[in-house]
Amino acid sequence: MGGRALLLVAGLFVASVGDRFADIAFALHAAETGSSALLAAILLASAVPEMLLGLVGGVVADRHLRAWWWPAALAVQAAVLIALAHLHTPWHLVAGVALNGSITALLGPVGSKLLGALCRGREERAARAHTAATGAAAVVGTALGGVSFAAGSRGTLLVVAGCALLVLAVCAAAVARGAVIARAAPAGRASALLGFRRLVSPAVFGATGALCTVGVLLGTSVEAVAGVFVLTGFTGMGPGGYGPALAAWSAGVAAGAALAGGWARRRAAMPVSAMAMGAAIALPALAPLPWAALAAFAVGGLANGVFNTALATAIWTRVAPAEHGRAWAAFRWTLTACLLTGHLLGAAAGADGARALMVCSGTATVLAGAAFLLARLRTPGGEPAAAP
């Protein structure tokens, strides 16, 4: 990876840490006020713009983007977060999150598209670096965010999150010099749904691969809601063990990406890692052993790191660069839909149904991964050809 790509990954890492600060600020503020409705409203304000505008954002990234748009948008988002640090009414918070969510939806695929352009021919290294940075940011951001909230206030967390976005804005302005993005400007179709067609094509994931990806995204989304009840109750870890379990998963993501190596390009990488993740989600709900749950989450994180690396590598190498924006927009839209579905399922199941939901979710992910692996083993020939 070149210096410009490393600078962009560093900026994305800092911004990811800031995202954790913002998430903790909003969640703990809702907890302090005793308003679950506020937390739900914030979640919807963040997710709904992606569902409505995310696919349009892919078209913007592929056909209309200018080099200065993304840094300028990041600066606006930073200003919104810093302003929210001094505004305390619920409608201010929800409106600010909705505004930032809309900006992210319209320009969200730009970071991935730009990183792919900077690492043309070295996509696997870019995928490993980005995935490892995201996993490390989850550990660092959660740890520092929790300490900062205990020592300070919601306002401090939001100011830090805003400053993190400004760091990314500076990095983006430094690397997104016109030619990098302009070369990706495509000719031809502008369909917002093109990204879905590319992802389900045999050259990228195929139908079974897309199903496997949805299973992984939905499984991890369910775990985010149901896991707290299973880990703190059924496994006997207690509230004090929940944080270490999440940290083990996030650290595993970083380690899995770093260790993936050339295996991320192999046909079995995604299905096998998906099966391991599914088993890691289901196991804590089957065995009431704290050490087993912690070990399962560490292994699940390692598999998650490999899966994310293989997924990003496939999109960057199997989809034409002129269509990267729409491909990443389709993936982000699917991710958001799975997050919303997983949260709704977890909320509906409640504490009493959390174990059954995690077992079903993990099992479904294992089966989806097995179907994907079988489909790939049955496909004659070598690896799919890279996009031109």
Side-chain angles (χ1 to χ4, degrees), residues 181-376:
I181 294 179
R183 278 199 300 269
R189 302 183 62 178
S191 171
L193 300 178
L194 180 67
F196 290 111
R197 292 198 291 273
R198 292 295 179 264
L199 295 186
V200 301
S201 66
V204 184
F205 301 137
T208 53
L211 176 64
C212 176
T213 301
V214 169
V216 167
L217 297 178
L218 190 56
T220 52
S221 300
V222 165
E223 186 282 320
V225 180
V228 63
F229 301 111
V230 173
L231 292 174
T232 60
F234 176 71
T235 64
M237 297 180 72
Y242 183 60
L246 295 185
W249 187 290
S250 297
V253 171
L259 297 173
W263 197 63
R265 284 182 180 264
R266 295 188 178 274
R267 301 165 69 86
M270 284 185 67
V272 170
S273 57
M275 294 166 67
M277 290 170 67
I281 292 171
L283 181 61
L286 295 171
L289 302 171
W291 64 266
L294 194 61
F297 266 49
V299 173
L302 283 167
N304 200 170
V306 174
F307 183 88
N308 289 354
T309 302
L311 183 146
T313 301
I315 294 177
W316 276 327
T317 58
R318 310 300 178 198
V319 177
E323 299 170 349
H324 278 174
R326 281 164 287 181
W328 282 109
F331 172 75
R332 289 168 58 90
W333 192 95
T334 305
L335 171 61
T336 303
C338 288
L339 283 172
L340 286 173
T341 304
H343 281 72
L344 289 174
L345 289 173
D352 294 335
R355 276 187 64 201
L357 185 60
M358 282 189 66
V359 171
C360 291
S361 175
T363 302
T365 303
V366 171
L367 293 176
F372 189 18
L373 179 61
L374 184 61
R376 288 210 152 178

